[in-house]
């Protein structure tokens, strides 16, 4: 490590953490960083979720780094093993093992205002040993889909059979000959249910609470000539990826209240679900809320699976879990051999406590107030978050959002890394103004037409704390360069004012050029007879 440069700590070796580390090296040429990972390997979400049928609902060519495209994806949609292998290759390619400490939990990150550093409390996940370290800057790269959430159902500890969450899949349990209760009907459950139900001796009962909009998933295999073209024809793969982004981003309009596109989509989805699912389930399966209010599900053969004799849906509602099954709200008991929860993840909850100036914690911003561009927070100098409040997308690639935020963070960190400033933090005024703008835009969307994880861990909240209310191209535009007037800089006042001076000079130069052009044009109109009439005549 180069101790003469600021030390950077990255919390988490998932997609966001790896992307940040790669950019620190490639764009800032900075090697004085360390990645702390609580598990024994990399991957984050794609390490934790290994359930049968697990994969991305975003096309593979858009679910990868723009700087590390993969021309050899086998299919349009990619699977969990493929995704994890892709990121492991990037991790090794950029020599990140030498900068990673595994089996180490970051318990506390606390800003020391007097010394201008973060004090970090670490815990060895194997021995429980507590350690201390410091860093000038900290990157929070803990993803959304890592901490499983369970519904408020009593009796889970009473069940004598195997019981687990989809993100903690029990690969040691053979479900053949079992009656399995699947609780939840979101993205995860609709992916693994068709796989476990393919075994005819496995009886699957899916306990559902809320209907979901399910769209047709058109997956296809890339022929060898296409993969060759992606790898060898200049700009071909880039154009293909750009086409995906542009067409995908236009889908944002379905989230606007009273959108004609949303009305058309609702009719298409209704037609598809009625055509594909058994008629006896139509009344319960098809939602009344607008498509997109909850995460839209791409059909991994879930609807067709409902035709199988070993699959059943139950909408009655669960009263409690008992030793050998589930008791419904009607009092009826359904015997079960195993129970699997496909009930999602906490959005705001983090294992790490971040404490800033005055002892305030970061949870407040995640749960209610929101941050600035979902990246920085007032009172937390030199702390940068990837995929923070209102920065995720409901319709596009999360990798694009991560890259956009990382590029923004790199620009913010540059004066700190280069020694031009000691610390920076966003102002409360700028944060409040930004979040007022966010909520004003959110008011014209359909996100409040139902309860969903977009509302964070408090799903009855009146605020969407997860998604950005606009196209991802808009998010890219507003984060393309920092608005330095929105930040308080410590130890870099000279650098800050120099930047302001340069900016003012640029504005003055533009104004001068406009004035000179305007003056010359007006003189031309006076000197050339009849020119004004010819130019402005109807």
């Amino acid at each position: 490590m180069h101790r003469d440069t600021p030390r950077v700590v990255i919390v988490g070796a998932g997609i966001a953490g790896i992307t940040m580390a790669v950019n620190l090296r490639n764009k800032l040429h900075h090697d004085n960083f360390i990645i702390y990972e609580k598990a024994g390997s990399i991957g984050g979400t794609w390490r934790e979720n290994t359930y049968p049928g697990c994969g991305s609902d975003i096309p593979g060519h858009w679910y990868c780094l723009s700087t590390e495209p993969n021309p050899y994806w086998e299919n349009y949609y990619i699977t969990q093993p493929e995704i994890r292998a892709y990121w492991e290759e990037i991790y090794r390619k950029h020599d990140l093992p030498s900068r990673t400490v595994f089996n180490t939990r970051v318990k506390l990150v606390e800003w020391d205002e007097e010394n201008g550093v973060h004090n970090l409390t670490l815990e060895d996940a194997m021995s429980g040993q507590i350690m201390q370290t410091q860093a000038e800057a900290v990157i929070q790269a803990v993803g959304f889909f890592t901490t499983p959430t369970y519904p408020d159902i009593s009796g889970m500890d009473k069940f004598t059979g195997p019981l687990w969450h989809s993100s903690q899949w029990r690969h040691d349990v053979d479900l053949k000959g079992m009656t399995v209760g699947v609780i939840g009907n979101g993205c995860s459950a609709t992916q693994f249910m068709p796989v476990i139900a393919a075994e005819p001796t496995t009886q699957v009962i899916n306990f559902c609470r809320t209907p979901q909009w399910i769209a047709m998933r058109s997956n296809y295999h890339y022929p060898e000539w296409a993969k060759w073209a992606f790898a060898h024809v200049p700009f071909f793969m880039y154009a293909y990826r750009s086409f995906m982004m542009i067409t995908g981003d236009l889908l944002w309009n379905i989230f606007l209240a009273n959108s004609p596109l949303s009305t058309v989509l609702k009719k298409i989805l209704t037609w598809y679900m009625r055509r594909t699912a058994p008629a006896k389930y139509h009344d319960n399966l098809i939602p009344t809320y607008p498509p997109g209010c909850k995460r839209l599900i791409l059909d991994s053969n879930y609807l067709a699976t409902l035709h199988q004799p070993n699959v059943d849906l139950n909408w009655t509602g669960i009263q409690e879990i008992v030793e050998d099954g589930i008791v419904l709200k009607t009092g009826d008991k359904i015997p079960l051999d195993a129970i699997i929860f496909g009930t999602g993840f906490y959005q705001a909850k983090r294992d790490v406590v971040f404490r800033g100036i005055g002892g305030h914690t970061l949870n407040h911003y995640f749960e209610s107030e929101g941050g600035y561009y979902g990246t920085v927070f007032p009172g937390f100098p030199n702390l940068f978050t990837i995929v923070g409040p209102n920065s995720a997308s409901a319709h596009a690639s999360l990798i694009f959002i991560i890259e956009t935020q990382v590029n923004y963070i790199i620009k913010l960190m540059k004066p700190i890394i280069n020694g031009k400033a000691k610390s920076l933090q966003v102002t409360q005024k700028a944060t409040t103004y930004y979040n007022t703008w966010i909520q004003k835009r959110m008011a014209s969307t359909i996100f409040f037409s139902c309860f969903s994880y977009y509302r964070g861990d408090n799903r009855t909240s009146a605020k969407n704390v997860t998604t950005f209310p606009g196209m991802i191209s808009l998010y890219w535009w507003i984060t393309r360069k920092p608005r330095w007037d929105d930040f308080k800089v410590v130890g870099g006042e000279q650098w800050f004012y120099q930047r302001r001076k340069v900016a003012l000079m640029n504005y003055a130069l533009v104004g001068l050029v406009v004035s000179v052009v305007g003056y010359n044009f007006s003189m031309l109109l006076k000197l050339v007879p009849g020119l004004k009439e010819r130019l402005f005549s109807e």
Side-chain angles (χ1 to χ4, degrees):
M1 294 288 184
H2 305 289
R3 295 300 178 185
D4 56 335
T5 60
R7 186 170 189 257
V8 179
V9 163
I10 300 172
V11 183
I15 289 175
I18 293 172
T19 304
M20 187 70 221
V22 169
N23 279 269
L24 271 175
R25 273 191 162 161
N26 293 349
K27 293 185 177 179
L28 292 183
H29 308 291
H30 187 69
D31 271 339
N32 190 7
F33 67 87
I34 195 78
I35 306 171
Y36 288 114
E37 170 55 53
K38 66 179 181 180
S41 60
I42 70 161
T45 296
W46 300 108
R47 177 195 63 236
E48 300 294 331
N49 291 272
T50 62
Y51 58 81
C54 182
S56 171
D57 58 3
I58 297 296
H61 280 282
W62 199 14
Y63 200 75
C64 57
L65 293 178
S66 61
T67 55
E68 301 280 350
N70 177 21
Y72 301 109
W73 293 124
E74 291 293 333
N75 299 294
Y76 187 73
Y77 292 106
I78 51 181
T79 63
Q80 179 268 339
E82 291 177 288
I83 297 170
R84 188 173 181 188
Y86 167 82
W87 286 98
E88 286 178 341
E89 183 179 349
I90 292 174
Y91 179 76
R92 292 189 297 269
K93 174 183 176 181
H94 292 276
D95 190 29
L96 296 182
S98 63
R99 293 289 182 266
T100 308
V101 179
F102 289 111
N103 298 309
T104 302
R105 294 189 183 94
V106 178
K107 303 288 287 184
L108 173 65
V109 178
E110 190 168 20
W111 177 250
D112 182 343
E113 191 171 8
E114 182 178 351
N115 296 307
V117 296
H118 290 283
N119 295 319
L120 289 85
T121 300
L122 314 174
E123 180 186 34
D124 188 305
M126 308 301 289
S127 67
Q129 178 185 359
I130 300 298
M131 301 163 285
Q132 305 292 330
T133 190
Q134 291 183 328
E136 279 77 14
V138 172
I139 313 296
Q140 181 186 198
V142 181
F144 279 146
F145 306 118
T146 54
T147 306
T149 181
Y150 294 86
D152 186 18
I153 301 174
S154 62
M156 283 192 291
D157 56 335
K158 297 179 182 178
F159 187 67
T160 56
L163 177 152
W164 68 88
H165 191 277
S166 62
S167 66
Q168 301 164 337
W169 196 267
R170 290 282 302 274
H171 292 280
D172 60 316
V173 178
D174 186 356
L175 298 176
K176 290 181 181 178
M178 287 190 176
T179 299
V180 181
V182 174
I183 300 177
N185 60 338
C187 294
S188 299
T190 56
Q191 285 187 341
F192 70 73
M193 259 190 60
V195 181
I196 65 174
E199 168 55 50
T201 66
T202 302
Q203 185 71 31
V204 181
I205 304 173
N206 189 194
F207 296 91
C208 307
R209 181 177 59 183
T210 307
Q212 307 274 359
W213 283 111
I214 301 176
M216 181 170 61
R217 180 176 180 263
S218 300
N219 198 11
Y220 54 82
H221 182 77
Y222 288 114
E224 291 302 317
W225 68 262
K227 288 185 279 188
W228 182 92
F230 288 143
H232 297 96
V233 177
F235 306 111
F236 181 60
M237 182 166 52
Y238 176 78
Y240 181 61
R241 175 187 169 98
S242 298
F243 174 77
M244 286 181 174
M245 173 186 166
I246 294 169
T247 55
D249 209 13
L250 291 175
L251 290 176
W252 158 252
N253 290 297
I254 69 172
F255 302 109
L256 295 175
N258 303 316
S259 165
L261 184 60
S262 179
T263 302
V264 172
L265 179 63
K266 185 174 183 178
K267 291 180 179 180
I268 293 173
L269 296 181
T270 301
W271 169 82
Y272 172 73
M273 294 177 69
R274 286 186 174 275
R275 188 194 70 169
T276 312
K280 63 180 179 179
Y281 295 135
H282 288 176
D283 291 342
N284 287 324
L285 267 179
I286 299 174
T288 56
Y289 58 82
C293 182
K294 290 178 178 286
R295 177 79 178 186
L296 192 65
I297 295 174
L298 297 186
D299 190 9
S300 301
N301 210 38
Y302 172 79
L303 294 178
T305 300
L306 301 180
H307 287 278
Q308 296 177 196
N310 63 326
V311 176
D312 190 24
L313 291 185
N314 190 296
W315 297 86
T316 305
I318 299 173
Q319 179 66 35
E320 63 176 332
I321 296 175
V322 293
E323 291 83 353
D324 57 349
I326 284 177
V327 176
L328 303 176
K329 290 184 177 179
T330 58
D332 298 324
K333 186 174 82 169
I334 298 180
L336 298 171
D337 300 306
I339 297 176
I340 306 172
F341 287 87
T343 48
F345 302 85
Y346 285 106
Q347 300 300 298
K349 185 178 180 180
R350 296 292 189 273
D351 294 334
V352 188
V353 175
F354 294 91
R355 190 169 293 144
I357 296 173
H360 298 293
T361 63
L362 204 57
N363 277 353
H364 166 71
Y365 292 97
F366 270 83
E367 293 172 353
S368 58
E369 186 171 345
Y372 179 84
Y373 295 169
T375 306
V376 288
F377 307 87
F380 291 85
N382 292 9
L383 175 65
F384 308 94
T385 294
I386 304 174
V387 195
N390 293 119
S391 62
S393 168
H395 69 289
S397 173
L398 185 62
I399 307 300
F400 180 88
I401 294 293
I402 289 173
E403 283 194 281
T404 300
Q405 281 192 303
V406 166
N407 288 333
Y408 181 67
I409 292 170
I410 288 293
K411 292 168 186 173
L412 292 178
M413 290 182 64
K414 187 174 181 180
I416 299 171
I417 298 300
N418 293 341
K420 303 293 185 181
K422 290 184 178 179
S423 70
L424 61 84
Q425 64 169 305
V426 68
T427 65
Q428 182 65 57
K429 179 181 178 181
T431 303
T432 301
Y433 181 85
Y434 176 73
N435 279 283
T436 300
W437 178 75
I438 285 286
Q439 296 308 318
K440 183 178 180 180
R441 289 183 60 88
M442 199 73 75
S444 63
T445 69
I446 47 85
F447 290 121
F448 305 116
S449 301
C450 66
F451 297 122
S452 73
Y453 75 76
Y454 295 146
R455 299 191 180 192
D457 302 338
N458 177 17
R459 300 187 184 185
T460 61
S461 168
K463 292 184 70 174
N464 178 329
V465 298
T466 304
T467 61
F468 176 74
M471 292 182 171
I472 58 171
S473 52
L474 173 61
Y475 186 76
W476 168 83
W477 177 259
I478 65 175
T479 59
R480 72 193 187 283
K481 59 182 180 180
R483 297 169 57 95
W484 292 107
D485 286 345
D486 289 346
F487 290 86
K488 177 184 177 183
V489 180
V490 175
E493 288 78 7
Q494 183 177 357
W495 167 86
F496 182 77
Y497 289 120
Q498 182 65 29
R499 284 195 62 90
R500 178 175 288 181
K501 180 180 178 181
V502 171
L504 290 174
M505 289 178 65
N506 289 336
Y507 290 141
L509 181 60
V510 171
L512 178 62
V513 170
V514 171
S515 299
V516 170
V517 171
Y519 174 77
N520 289 334
F521 184 68
S522 65
M523 293 299 296
L524 185 65
L525 292 177
K526 293 179 180 179
L527 293 174
V528 180
L531 178 61
K532 182 175 181 181
E533 288 74 13
R534 289 197 295 270
L535 287 177
F536 299 105
S537 61
E538 294 184 0

